[in-house]
Amino acid sequence: MGSSPRYHLISHYTPTNLLILLILPFVTAAINVTSILQAHPDLSDFARLLVTTGVASELSGRSSLTLLVVPNSYLARSSELGRSAGDTADVLRYHVLLEYLSWSELRRIPASGKLVTTLYQTTGRAASNLGSVNLTRSPSGVLIARSPAGNATVLSPIATIPYNASVLAVDALLIPSGFDLAASEARPAPAVNISRVLADGHDFNVAASMLAASGVAAEFEADERGAGITVFVPTDEAFAELPATERLQSLPADRKAVVLRFHVLHSYYPLGSLESIVNPVQPTLATEDTGAGRFTLNISRVNGSVAIDTGVIQASITRTVFDQNPVAVFAVSRVLLPREIFAKGAHASPLAPPPLDPVALSPENDTPPTRLSSPPGLRTEIKSGSAARSIATAAVKACCIAMLYLLVLR
């Protein structure tokens, strides 16, 4: 039998020809953003910015990305277009996600969110992970692209080149961290109403009612200025799963307020910063009221999620509720119970320093205790035990002397 025509043709390819055939698919996969957007007149302004800043040419050498584009009507509302050409280019690079995400993949994004690296992150001008965009899904299924300076809702898919490029329309320009400083100085942003954020987020009725009753929410809004705040909010389900032995609702009002402050960091941390946090032990607002080293949270990344350890329980961030500099609000899987109140034997007031040892302060014990000194209760037991042993020893000696005396008389 003769060889098949296909095999016959392949057998005549030289190594150079085969190499060209292998490279060809990757060459043809290069993205021409201009031609993709030309079919959509309502995206002409965004396309023009990509070309005039040179970002379009940077994309031509890439083969796997998701582009977030802003339609003309939404782009006209942005005050960021008056920036320098270099800044505008970086803002546009922030809209280029370096990962191909199909519409079906986006609809399966977990509620906790997905952090995606952008082209801006690769420039080296973005600190830490603040050059990434956090894609989240609201309880109603709406897809939101979050940045430290603001959020944008994903409107619809525009174009898709399978496994190569995805173009999505969003309703606002996303601004990287640090780019909104001049605007915020000119127009100070009003304080974020945490109670309203929780009401809009749904599933936070218990937390919202506790905040309202305690008055702590007003403190949070006052603390937004400066470094900002990060709030961890337990869901209603998390409160429902509290064991009956955990006496949260029976605590006095001042202790409940401490527990609520324990859920807040006095710094703004978007999800990317929490995932790459350098110092895992973080002070909370409760730390400021009770002293350094107390009421701290241990934050780390475990199995792809942000884990929070209080020393009593371990919780994880389940989704982003609100993220706009200087306020970040995250839903957590469990109520954060501080060990200073809920650990076994923790009955002292968390607002007061640890009680001093009265035995150590008595005149009879003016010698400083050594590292091996026993607790007061144990010292008493030792003293009484030593007396009993002395009496027993004396009795044994008396018996021995009596027996010896009888033997002599015989």
Side-chain angles (χ1 to χ4, degrees):
M1 292 180 61
S3 60
S4 67
R6 180 179 298 176
Y7 179 82
H8 181 73
L9 287 172
I10 293 177
S11 65
H12 283 77
Y13 278 119
T14 65
T16 302
N17 291 337
L18 288 172
L19 182 61
I20 292 174
L21 285 175
L22 290 173
I23 295 176
L24 188 60
F26 297 97
V27 174
T28 57
I31 299 168
N32 188 333
V33 174
T34 306
S35 62
I36 294 175
L37 299 183
Q38 273 180 348
H40 304 276
D42 59 327
L43 302 176
S44 59
D45 290 344
F46 195 88
R48 175 179 52 79
L49 288 172
L50 288 173
V51 173
T52 56
T53 57
V55 175
S57 60
E58 295 178 25
L59 303 184
S60 63
R62 295 185 175 273
S63 59
S64 181
L65 57 84
T66 298
L67 179 63
L68 305 178
V69 297
V70 185
N72 297 346
S73 57
Y74 294 100
L75 194 62
R77 305 174 188 173
S78 175
S79 60
E80 303 298 327
L81 297 179
R83 293 184 176 275
S84 66
D87 283 351
T88 301
D90 277 344
V91 170
L92 295 176
R93 292 184 184 102
Y94 194 58
H95 290 69
V96 182
L97 312 184
L98 300 183
E99 183 176 343
Y100 170 76
L101 297 168
S102 66
W103 186 246
S104 59
E105 288 175 319
L106 290 168
R107 297 181 68 178
R108 293 195 300 270
I109 281 180
S112 57
K114 178 181 177 66
L115 202 65
V116 186
T117 302
T118 69
L119 186 61
Y120 173 59
Q121 180 76 26
T122 66
T123 64
R125 290 186 287 274
S128 186
N129 277 340
L130 296 181
S132 300
V133 169
N134 185 16
L135 297 177
T136 65
R137 229 176 357 95
S138 71
S140 59
V142 176
L143 190 67
I144 301 173
R146 300 181 182 273
S147 74
N151 306 325
T153 299
V154 178
L155 301 174
S156 62
I158 298 298
T160 300
I161 302 174
Y163 310 107
N164 193 19
S166 178
V167 181
L168 308 172
V170 294
D171 68 350
L173 202 64
L174 291 169
I175 309 301
S177 177
F179 276 70
D180 62 328
L181 294 179
S184 63
E185 290 173 1
R187 301 184 306 276
V192 175
N193 188 320
I194 300 296
S195 298
R196 183 174 301 170
V197 168
L198 298 184
D200 294 341
H202 308 289
D203 199 27
F204 303 108
N205 298 316
V206 178
S209 63
M210 289 183 67
L211 283 174
S214 66
V216 174
E219 296 180 22
F220 293 175
E221 292 169 10
D223 286 327
E224 290 172 15
R225 296 171 179 81
I229 60 172
T230 300
V231 186
F232 303 115
V233 187
T235 62
D236 290 340
E237 183 180 0
F239 278 102
E241 291 177 351
L242 273 176
T245 53
E246 305 299 355
R247 54 198 186 281
L248 175 60
Q249 296 301 340
S250 63
L251 290 175
D254 60 340
R255 288 200 183 189
K256 280 186 183 178
V258 171
V259 174
L260 292 173
R261 296 186 188 102
F262 184 62
H263 286 70
V264 183
L265 307 181
H266 201 172
S267 290
Y268 165 69
Y269 289 106
L271 184 62
S273 296
L274 290 175
E275 290 181 333
S276 58
I277 201 163
V278 176
N279 181 13
V281 180
Q282 288 291 314
T284 64
L285 291 189
T287 306
E288 299 177 5
D289 296 330
T290 58
R294 306 189 72 202
F295 292 93
T296 58
L297 294 173
N298 194 312
I299 301 174
S300 59
R301 183 179 173 88
V302 178
N303 297 328
S305 300
V306 176
I308 304 172
D309 192 332
T310 72
V312 176
I313 62 96
Q314 292 79 40
S316 61
I317 290 178
T318 56
R319 66 183 175 96
T320 302
V321 181
F322 182 88
D323 185 356
Q324 186 169 335
N325 195 355
V327 178
V329 181
F330 300 100
V332 290
S333 60
R334 299 185 66 184
V335 180
L336 304 181
L337 304 177
R339 63 181 180 276
E340 289 82 356
I341 298 177
F342 293 92
K344 292 182 179 179
H347 299 296
S349 170
L351 302 179
L356 298 173
D357 183 357
V359 175
L361 295 178
S362 64
E364 300 175 0
N365 295 276
D366 55 355
T367 303
T370 65
R371 182 171 298 181
L372 297 178
S373 62
S374 304
L378 187 57
R379 291 191 207 122
T380 304
E381 293 175 6
I382 290 174
K383 288 178 181 178
S384 61
S386 299
R389 283 194 296 273
S390 298
I391 294 172
T393 302
V396 171
K397 288 180 178 178
C399 290
C400 291
I401 292 172
M403 290 177 64
L404 181 62
Y405 181 73
L406 291 174
L407 288 173
V408 171
L409 290 179
R410 292 180 63 184

